[in-house]
Amino acid sequence: MPDRYDLPTGFRWGAATAAYQIEGAVNEDGRGPSVWDVFAARPGAVRDGHTGAVACDHYHRYPEDIALMKGLGLDGYRFSIAWPRVLPTGSGPVNTAGLAFYDRLVDALLDAGITPFPTLFHWDLPQALEDGGGWLNRDTAYRFAEYATVMADRLGDRVPAWITLNEPFVHTVFGYALGTHAPGRTLMLEALPAAHHQLLAHGLAASALHERGLEVMLSNNLTPVQPASADPADAAAAEAYDALHNRLFTDPVLLGRYPDLSALGVPDDLYGAIHPGDTDLIAAPGLDGLGLNFYNPTRIAAPTDPGLPFDFVDIPDVPHTAFGWPVVPDALRQLLLSLRDTYGKSLPPITITENGCSVTESTTPDQPRIDFMSAHLDALAAAIAEGIDIRGYYTWSLLDNFEWAEGLFSQRFGLVHVDFETQRRTPKASYAWYRDLIAAQRVRRAQ
Ligand code: IFM
């Protein structure tokens, strides 16, 4: 039984999910359409034509899912709130039936002894806001702050810490630059105003949450970027990619300024999106914690096609997940140390808000997931031993779920298998492994 980590007092063990990936019930109790409902309905947008219309039916089955969390012994549960469930058109009158779902969920978590840890935006923008330009429209940031205020006023008496946004890099690049996620725009670098407006939304919402005495985090999926060789052209391409993927989403919040993206030909004002005073609005509230979603490092080479700013290169000789992502656990330790080097005293405590891997359904007994989590926790413990302040670990994910453009069946990230025909939940070997790890750590903590 694993009991090997020396962790700080108060370290939280958790699991994470997101609304559109598990809730289903997209047409119930007054929920409005989200960009993902509309995008998934487009032929060819999602593998096998799947949608999140039912997903894990968590909207109805949340008591069973909370029982599974309790069985794991979780300290905390990270979930996201569906903005269109609460404000069906993104602003205006509150849908009390939608809000009531999150009341029930939070109360049931608290009854189970699990701290609710919500994310306000995990990519399911109300379609009505998208129709007005979505995150390309500065106004969306102000609507987000209003929505954050509604949620804080309703749940802030029971929910102490909040995440504003999940992975604004992924939402900007896949949703607005490449079009492989909702809302399916293909603007390439001209998508970057969407990044700025999300960061502005974070800043405005963070102020509102702080005014109500609540803690605020922002979750980014950061990746250590390695140049493919010692060639200066590869190093320059890697630096440019690091600025785009990592620093664009952390420098404004932690340092109050944007990184230099001129190597990519991006203007300093991000195509006119940055207005005077915006960087203060983003940075001034401060962050009580940085949420880190970690999956893999990225290797970058100078572009072979002059139309592109960089090439992605595989990392050979390491295992790869079912998604084809390289498994390099020590890259997590390296990333954490490099965050300290880059941000010094401006770096707040870190919570790992996602870490996990997809494993194909036929793989029994789920050993690759156990190996993945175990090796990443070793790397995390090593970083803690080197003085990095880490407050918790939330594995992605509690349940197999709707994996965005990959649909329902091909990328299974859950500790619990979900049969999407019957909705039967079956804990995998990784569930038992994580449960035993948490229990052993509790015993160790008490000694
Ligand atoms: O499923 C996603 C999640 O929504 C955001 N982070 C990465 C996960 C795996 O792709």
Side-chain angles (χ1 to χ4, degrees), residues 39 61 90 117 199 247 249 268 334 371 384:
F39 180 77
R61 294 169 195 263
F117 186 26
L199 289 169
R247 301 198 64 146
F249 297 92
D268 286 350
Q334 290 164 17
D371 293 344
I384 291 171

Side-chain angles (χ1 to χ4, degrees), residues 1 38 137 145 155 159 320 336 372 377 408:
M1 182 182 297
V38 173
N137 182 349
L155 301 180
V159 174
H320 286 66
L336 290 164
F372 184 100
L377 284 166
L408 287 166

